[in-house]
Amino acid sequence: MKHKACLTALLGLFATGALAVDLNTDALKAMQQEGLDIVEQAKSWQSFELDVGEGGQCLQIAGPPNKVGANIVLRNCNKNAKNQQWTFDEDSRLVSHGDTCIGVAGNAGKPGANVVTQECSGQNHQKWRLDAQNRLHNELKKCLQAAGKPGEPSGNVISQNCGGSPNQVWK
């Protein structure tokens, strides 16, 4: 009889504990989402505008921010456009709102290669820095450049040898 009472008490404790875990699972999920929201808000989103005249042309993904393989182009700046907002992550990658990164298509070391969105990786052609001349250059020493005649940028963005072109200066 004594053992039966102990067994009943233990089963009662286990049942109560199992219920507490179920309740805590929901609380943990809510706390996790809140944490993700805080991290998202803490990111320093910015746009990059080509610094040539009064054009107001910004780096933009030609499509939704999460589309891998989308072309990087220049479009009129729009501070509300999510596909024009970027953040540098801890690995020096330019990351979009869709968690895609700016990278170089094809032969990343070749001047004139097209710039597109890619799945983020540790590759050098996805690691960007803004230098003292306001050029965005990657670890391969290639700069983001508006294609076309300097001062008259076209819609496409390419990776080019860094130099003095105004089509490589971003603000």
Side-chain angles (χ1 to χ4, degrees):
M1 193 68 139
K2 194 181 213 182
H3 294 293
K4 207 175 202 182
C6 284
L7 186 56
T8 304
L10 282 173
L11 286 174
L13 285 174
F14 284 121
T16 305
L19 181 59
V21 170
D22 287 341
L23 294 175
N24 286 339
T25 301
D26 291 337
L28 286 172
K29 285 180 184 177
M31 287 172 31
Q32 182 182 26
Q33 185 58 50
E34 186 176 328
L36 292 171
D37 292 343
I38 289 169
V39 168
E40 183 67 22
Q41 290 171 1
K43 287 182 181 177
S44 176
W45 295 105
Q46 60 190 41
S47 61
F48 291 97
E49 183 177 346
L50 193 62
D51 195 12
V52 289
E54 301 296 319
Q57 299 285 302
C58 287
L59 282 179
Q60 177 175 309
I61 300 169
N66 63 345
K67 182 179 180 189
V68 172
N71 212 28
I72 303 297
V73 296
L74 290 175
R75 294 293 182 263
N76 290 333
C77 294
N78 176 353
K79 65 180 180 174
N80 297 318
K82 296 238 186 243
N83 59 353
Q84 286 187 4
Q85 295 176 359
W86 307 94
T87 189
F88 283 102
D89 72 3
E90 64 278 354
D91 294 320
S92 298
R93 297 176 299 200
L94 272 173
V95 183
S96 73
H97 265 281
D99 290 325
T100 56
C101 287
I102 290 183
V104 183
N107 182 351
K110 181 180 176 186
N114 201 40
V115 177
V116 297
T117 56
Q118 298 175 334
E119 288 185 27
C120 298
S121 70
Q123 296 183 42
N124 288 335
H125 67 89
Q126 287 186 357
K127 296 180 181 181
W128 301 93
R129 291 200 175 17
L130 192 62
D131 68 16
Q133 290 83 35
N134 284 346
R135 299 175 303 189
L136 285 165
H137 68 87
N138 64 20
E139 295 289 317
L140 299 177
K141 299 195 182 356
K142 300 293 182 234
C143 285
L144 286 183
Q145 177 174 314
K149 199 173 189 181
E152 297 177 10
S154 68
N156 200 37
V157 177
I158 59 174
S159 172
Q160 190 58 269
N161 291 329
C162 297
S165 172
N167 284 7
Q168 291 181 356
V169 181
W170 305 91
K171 58 180 177 178

